[in-house]
Amino acid sequence: MIPSNRLKLGEYVLCPLNQQLEYAEQRIPLEPKVYEVLCYLLAHQQRFVSLEELHKEVWQGRVVSDTAVRRTISKLRAALNDQGEVPRYIQSAAKRGYRWLVPAQAAEANIDAMPEAATITPFSNATAAAAMQGTAALASALNPAPAGAASTTGVSKYFSAGSGSKTKLIVTSAAAALMLLAIVLFLVVRQSPSWSQQNALALISGEKLSMALSPDQRFLVFSSNAVNHSGQELYWYNLDTHELKQLTTGDNQIMQVAFAADGKHLFYNNFYNGVYQLIQRPINEQGQFTGPGKVLLDQYVIMFKIWADPDNETLLLNLGNEQQLNIQRLHLATGTLTPVTSAVTAGVHDSIFAVDPKTQRLAFQRFFPGQGSSLIIQDMNSGRLLQQFLHQHRIFDLHWLSAHELLLVDEEAIHTFNIQTKESRLLQQNYQTGIALTRGLTRMLLPLANKQWLQFRHEGDIGRMIHQQGEVGVLSASRYIHTEPQTRAVFFSQKPEEYFLFNFENDKRSLLLQQADGTQQRLFEIQDSRLSLQQQHPDGSSLLLLLDGKPTLFDLKQHQLLPLNVVGNHWLSARFSYDGKGIVMTSRQNSEYQTWLYQLDSGFSQLLYQGYQLVLPYQADRYLAVHPDSRFLLLEGEQVHELPVNYSPPYPGSVHIRGTDLFWAETDLKNTTVFRFNIETAALAQWRQDRRQMQQTFDVSADGSQWLLRHIGHLDTKVYRVSANIR
């Protein structure tokens, strides 16, 4: 099923060694499953291949949704620039599946194939295998088999012949060994540029969110939480004299900061008194503000980066909300915004970016929720997309090193990427296996002169990302449930000392059952799908999941997924009804929330309510609802009673009802607060702790006496000088 030689597929060439497509001067890497699907379609191009067959043969029976398979086909079509309406490569037919349309032909030999294949980063067994294949090809060329002779491989081929063949073997083996050694040395030298980390700068301790370097590279401004202060204030640091000054005081939460191109102003994004503001403020070379701040924007919740154009007239910003994020240009003179990037599909996030002022090209990461992400190169003048590369890992920082090379900081590594050759060179790994929060240690790099960089790196007691169980009302309980780094959530089972764990690793999602002694049982694993746990059935027999947005049951006795006969895959939440015979589901269509009751025995659905973000069964014929404006409501038939508490920000996964108690958690830039509100008596209790100690994800036991929270521990950030020869 997997080809061994390069194949010509219409305008493209498939290179099995690199698992990539080649088109003109472009090389398009394919994800493993995308590559396997392509190979399977090629092997059976005479006929249609059904979804069920792809499930069985490519995913080998692993639990995966039809949506995930279709998404893989979509990724393959995107790589081939194939349109579903007028397909050139992949034809689809309802109830029949997919068929490959273009005959595959052997591609002409490519002399440069072997060195290209040898640039896989980091150097690994796969690279060594590629080098061995190249060496074997050279040996075959030096000692060709006679015409008509049977094809044999390995040492036995040579020793089965006479002494002449043995002589040829020695010569050939020596040449092959020399070539392999040359390839290894070439790779090591080529892929190991120096990245020498020096001592950390003498800055205050604390978690720093953002840094900015003055245009003359003399001053550093950063946002950090000082000792005994949970806010994020601005600090000024002289890189030559090591003088440190605090620029802002009060209750600020400053998340992003940037110098103006002339070095005379600072731009920073601040969360203050519940309002997000982008502020411009003048600053001098002594680290002093010389005037009041001017508010430029005050309505955008999310901002990942600020970049000041050298013309001192515009800023480039990531702006948006939970639904959509794009890159916009802010004109300082008029205060108007002009979109720079715009995704065709809603819900797409254009996040971290880098600008090359010389060529007016923009590099940015586009994230498709539940579908992965891409690195995109765009012409800023015309808005035309020039290149697109699959890049699964979240990118923290981007820099242009040259007209064709980028420096990337992502969750896995700090590395360079050549947009012409598609080659990547490893500079430094960016996580430590076995320690959860060290994934993505380095978040930012700032270029200095003379091949120097400033490296912004999370450190400190950050390995304590563990799940904490304690009595309700106690946030400092000492009992910890230790889990693996990829464990993102832990939930109570209805049995004592038993927990459900969700592990997220790359494109795999796993559900595990863990006992108090740490022993685990894997219940199921699914690939390339969105997955969340909603609730365990009151009788403990099954779990209610959202799988790619569709309510699905998992039978805990039979260990099998049971999709429900529910229309659509756009559901936001699902809970068992009070009697356990139905499921209350909420969706959002055309900006309107709808809540339905699905009967498990008949499969019949009926509309319950409209306009509520979340609806939870409370008692027989009574429901608790969360309004989009963050109000809690008690619903009894047609009657609506507003509870005397607000819920902000709305996050449905953190709301639980246990008996007559309503629990929820909120996390802002300073604190995590857990609330308990008795619906009948209106008694409210709350517990607060520094958000750097807790995170919002939590669960409450069935009897309402215990809760689980995620505990982080102390988080610090240090800044290092780095010497590197990467440009």
Side-chain angles (χ1 to χ4, degrees):
M1 188 171 73
I2 304 298
S4 57
N5 299 315
R6 293 161 56 88
L7 297 176
K8 183 172 177 56
L9 310 174
E11 299 175 330
Y12 294 82
V13 172
L14 175 63
C15 180
L17 195 58
N18 289 346
Q19 295 190 7
Q20 68 183 17
L21 291 170
E22 298 173 359
Y23 173 74
E25 297 299 322
Q26 299 184 32
R27 291 172 176 82
I28 306 164
L30 301 177
E31 297 178 21
K33 279 291 176 248
V34 175
Y35 175 71
E36 291 180 35
V37 167
L38 171 58
C39 292
Y40 194 83
L41 292 177
L42 288 173
H44 302 85
Q45 57 184 295
Q46 305 86 356
R47 60 181 178 82
F48 280 95
V49 176
S50 67
L51 285 174
E52 292 76 12
E53 185 175 347
L54 290 174
H55 272 287
K56 179 180 178 182
E57 300 298 334
V58 177
W59 277 266
Q60 298 179 349
R62 181 176 296 164
V63 178
V64 64
S65 66
D66 289 349
T67 303
V69 179
R70 293 191 180 97
R71 189 182 301 126
T72 304
I73 295 289
S74 297
K75 290 179 181 179
L76 178 55
R77 278 181 166 150
L80 293 163
N81 196 24
D82 195 26
Q83 303 299 323
E85 295 80 7
V86 187
R88 293 183 299 161
Y89 293 93
I90 302 173
Q91 178 186 4
S92 61
K95 299 183 179 180
R96 299 183 68 186
Y98 304 93
R99 184 176 66 172
W100 183 262
L101 297 176
V102 178
Q105 302 174 352
E108 295 180 1
N110 188 347
I111 298 176
D112 298 327
M114 185 182 61
E116 175 189 326
T119 59
I120 301 173
T121 303
F123 187 78
S124 62
N125 292 336
T127 308
M132 289 296 291
Q133 290 184 20
T135 306
L138 175 64
S140 176
L142 291 173
N143 188 24
S151 176
T152 57
T153 58
V155 177
S156 59
K157 166 184 174 181
Y158 297 96
F159 279 95
S160 63
S163 59
S165 295
K166 294 181 180 179
T167 302
K168 291 180 180 180
L169 169 64
I170 296 173
V171 175
T172 303
S173 300
L178 287 173
M179 183 174 181
L180 177 60
L181 178 61
I183 291 172
V184 172
L185 290 175
F186 171 75
L187 289 173
V188 171
V189 172
R190 185 178 181 182
Q191 297 182 356
S192 301
S194 66
W195 187 260
S196 177
Q197 185 172 293
Q198 303 172 21
N199 293 331
L201 299 182
L203 301 178
I204 64 168
S205 62
E207 180 189 3
K208 294 172 254 309
L209 294 182
S210 179
M211 293 193 306
L213 190 65
S214 63
D216 59 10
Q217 300 189 347
R218 295 166 55 197
F219 311 116
L220 183 67
V221 172
F222 57 90
S223 63
S224 178
N225 55 347
V227 178
N228 298 323
H229 179 57
S230 58
Q232 294 284 342
E233 304 293 346
L234 279 183
Y235 294 83
W236 176 92
Y237 183 83
N238 189 313
L239 289 169
D240 296 324
T241 65
H242 308 294
E243 181 183 5
L244 178 69
K245 292 182 179 180
Q246 185 169 345
L247 293 175
T248 62
T249 58
D251 197 23
N252 296 289
Q253 300 293 326
I254 298 172
M255 294 164 283
Q256 298 294 331
V257 60
F259 268 99
D262 60 7
K264 297 179 180 180
H265 291 82
L266 280 179
F267 301 99
Y268 57 92
N269 185 31
N270 189 20
F271 177 71
Y272 184 76
N273 287 338
V275 179
Y276 292 87
Q277 295 179 330
L278 175 63
I279 298 172
Q280 178 182 4
R281 195 166 183 184
I283 189 172
N284 62 21
E285 292 188 352
Q286 287 72 47
Q288 298 171 331
F289 283 131
T290 58
K294 176 184 178 182
V295 177
L296 302 178
L297 295 172
D298 60 3
Q299 72 268 37
Y300 289 93
V301 175
I302 297 177
M303 187 179 298
F304 278 131
K305 188 170 183 177
I306 305 171
W307 180 80
D309 197 288
D311 62 10
N312 282 307
E313 295 179 358
T314 61
L315 299 178
L316 239 59
L317 309 165
N318 281 110
L319 292 178
N321 50 37
E322 292 83 356
Q323 280 71 45
Q324 192 151 4
L325 180 71
N326 60 12
I327 301 169
Q328 300 190 46
R329 187 186 298 275
L330 174 64
H331 301 268
L332 296 176
T334 62
T336 58
L337 287 168
T338 304
V340 177
T341 68
S342 57
V344 177
T345 313
V348 173
H349 292 176
D350 293 339
S351 58
I352 200 70
F353 64 88
V355 178
D356 183 1
K358 294 181 180 179
T359 62
Q360 284 296 294
R361 287 178 302 168
L362 177 72
F364 64 94
Q365 184 172 40
R366 173 165 288 174
F367 175 69
F368 304 86
Q371 301 183 36
S373 60
S374 297
L375 174 64
I376 294 177
I377 311 298
Q378 175 177 313
D379 186 296
M380 291 184 61
N381 294 322
S382 66
R384 186 168 62 94
L385 297 186
L386 303 176
Q387 291 174 283
Q388 183 169 335
F389 313 94
L390 295 175
H391 193 89
Q392 290 296 90
H393 302 299
R394 178 186 174 190
I395 296 176
F396 296 130
D397 200 7
L398 265 177
H399 293 272
W400 285 95
L401 295 175
S402 67
H404 305 299
E405 195 165 35
L406 289 165
L407 177 65
L408 280 76
V409 181
D410 62 31
E411 291 177 309
E412 294 293 322
I414 305 172
H415 56 100
T416 65
F417 179 70
N418 190 301
I419 62 175
Q420 282 190 323
T421 65
K422 318 302 181 293
E423 296 175 1
S424 179
R425 295 185 299 162
L426 175 68
L427 300 175
Q428 188 181 64
Q429 293 289 351
N430 204 24
Y431 69 94
Q432 298 175 14
T433 304
I435 305 178
L437 235 159
T438 53
R439 179 176 295 274
L441 274 175
T442 298
R443 295 302 179 98
M444 186 183 299
L445 297 170
L446 295 179
L448 298 171
N450 302 321
K451 299 181 179 180
Q452 297 278 318
W453 293 77
L454 289 179
Q455 183 174 1
F456 169 95
R457 185 176 176 87
H458 286 330
E459 291 190 357
D461 186 14
I462 58 177
R464 297 175 60 195
M465 181 183 255
I466 47 188
H467 293 82
Q468 173 178 317
Q469 179 180 348
E471 297 179 4
V472 165
V474 180
L475 288 179
S476 57
S478 59
R479 181 177 181 183
Y480 299 116
I481 302 170
H482 294 270
T483 56
E484 297 299 320
Q486 62 268 27
T487 301
R488 300 295 178 88
V490 179
F491 302 93
F492 282 107
S493 167
Q494 291 184 355
K495 297 180 180 179
E497 308 299 319
E498 189 176 78
Y499 312 92
F500 295 108
L501 277 62
F502 264 119
N503 285 7
F504 293 2
E505 188 172 14
N506 298 324
D507 60 347
K508 296 179 181 178
R509 307 289 184 264
S510 303
L511 177 65
L512 298 92
L513 185 64
Q514 177 169 307
Q515 307 299 326
D517 60 5
T519 58
Q520 293 182 349
Q521 176 188 5
R522 187 179 299 274
L523 300 178
F524 71 85
E525 180 181 283
I526 197 165
Q527 191 166 5
D528 200 18
S529 296
R530 292 173 291 130
L531 185 67
S532 64
L533 176 61
Q534 299 293 298
Q535 190 182 8
Q536 187 174 9
H537 195 277
D539 64 11
S541 62
S542 62
L543 297 177
L544 178 57
L545 312 169
L546 280 181
L547 179 58
D548 283 326
K550 190 168 186 176
T552 304
L553 294 178
F554 179 76
D555 191 310
L556 289 169
K557 295 181 180 179
Q558 301 297 325
H559 282 205
Q560 66 180 106
L561 288 168
L562 304 172
L564 301 179
N565 186 26
V566 176
V567 177
N569 57 350
H570 46 263
W571 300 95
L572 305 176
S573 64
R575 298 290 192 276
F576 286 109
S577 60
Y578 185 74
D579 58 9
K581 297 180 180 180
I583 296 176
V584 178
M585 311 174 300
T586 301
S587 67
R588 187 180 185 185
Q589 299 185 40
N590 300 323
S591 301
E592 183 180 18
Y593 292 101
Q594 294 184 344
T595 301
W596 295 74
L597 176 61
Y598 173 86
Q599 299 294 342
L600 288 169
D601 54 356
S602 65
F604 177 74
S605 298
Q606 66 181 88
L607 181 65
L608 277 181
Y609 298 104
Q610 296 188 64
Y612 302 123
Q613 184 181 5
L614 175 68
V615 176
L616 300 175
Y618 172 47
Q619 295 173 346
D621 300 324
R622 301 179 79 191
Y623 299 89
L624 183 105
V626 176
H627 196 276
D629 64 6
S630 302
R631 290 180 294 142
F632 282 115
L633 306 172
L634 187 61
L635 310 177
E636 298 182 79
E638 299 297 326
Q639 297 183 356
V640 179
H641 306 280
E642 183 174 342
L643 302 183
V645 288
N646 288 333
Y647 170 49
S648 177
Y651 176 66
S654 68
V655 181
H656 307 279
I657 294 180
R658 300 292 184 262
T660 60
D661 286 330
L662 168 65
F663 293 87
W664 74 96
E666 300 176 7
T667 298
D668 57 26
L669 291 171
K670 292 198 302 182
N671 302 302
T672 289
T673 307
V674 182
F675 299 87
R676 181 182 63 189
F677 177 80
N678 189 282
I679 300 173
E680 303 300 326
T681 65
L684 175 67
Q686 62 183 20
W687 299 267
R688 176 174 294 174
Q689 192 156 334
D690 190 330
R691 72 167 180 89
R692 290 161 292 164
Q693 302 296 321
M694 298 291 179
Q695 282 189 331
Q696 183 174 334
T697 55
F698 88 113
D699 190 30
V700 182
S701 62
D703 62 2
S705 65
Q706 300 280 311
W707 57 29
L708 282 166
L709 303 104
R710 179 177 275 180
H711 178 72
I712 297 178
H714 178 64
L715 189 64
D716 192 11
T717 311
K718 294 183 179 179
V719 183
Y720 294 89
R721 284 185 181 268
V722 174
S723 297
N725 65 347
I726 56 177
R727 62 174 179 174

